Amino acid sequence: MEQHPKYIQDFYQHELDRGLTANTVIHYHANIRKCLQYAFQIGMIRSNPADRVERPRKEKFKSEIYNGEELEQLFKVILRSLALSWLHSTACGAVKSLV
């Protein structure tokens, strides 16, 4: 039983090494811990090995701000989309009234 925390820690490291984010591995940890806690509560194991594992540190969210050129491109796409939607709705209405 003493090896279980090492296996769990190795699994977390493996997942981080293959590119998963720390936040995803933290979710894995929560699920593994909950499962093992239930096994502990019903007497299948003497202790919860996940309690002895160091959980990855949560990554801070890093926001990015659009520059002027990116905002201009975004607005062009939105305006084009709105114009097409408007044309489609009015054209369909005009065709329906003709039929």
Side-chain angles (χ1 to χ4, degrees):
M1 262 315 198
E2 295 303 316
Q3 291 295 324
H4 288 285
K6 181 185 179 338
Y7 295 149
I8 296 169
Q9 193 73 53
D10 289 347
F11 170 70
Y12 293 166
Q13 191 57 53
H14 170 75
E15 295 300 286
L16 291 168
D17 290 345
R18 73 181 192 105
L20 291 180
T21 66
N23 292 343
T24 299
V25 177
I26 288 169
H27 286 283
Y28 286 6
H29 173 74
N31 289 328
I32 290 169
R33 190 190 170 286
K34 188 173 185 178
C35 251
L36 292 171
Q37 189 61 29
Y38 179 71
F40 169 68
Q41 287 173 345
I42 63 173
M44 290 180 70
I45 55 178
R46 290 186 195 179
S47 66
N48 185 344
D51 287 338
R52 298 189 306 267
V53 172
E54 187 175 326
R55 168 186 117 136
R57 299 207 184 271
K58 188 170 181 166
E59 296 167 353
K60 290 187 177 182
F61 176 74
K62 183 180 177 186
S63 64
E64 294 183 16
I65 299 172
Y66 289 132
N67 64 31
E69 185 178 310
E70 291 169 326
L71 282 173
E72 197 171 316
Q73 287 178 333
L74 177 64
F75 291 144
K76 283 180 183 178
V77 170
I78 291 170
L79 286 174
R80 191 174 306 131
S81 177
L82 289 172
L84 289 174
S85 294
W86 179 80
L87 283 173
H88 177 71
S89 66
T90 57
C92 286
V95 170
K96 286 180 187 175
S97 67
L98 293 175
V99 175

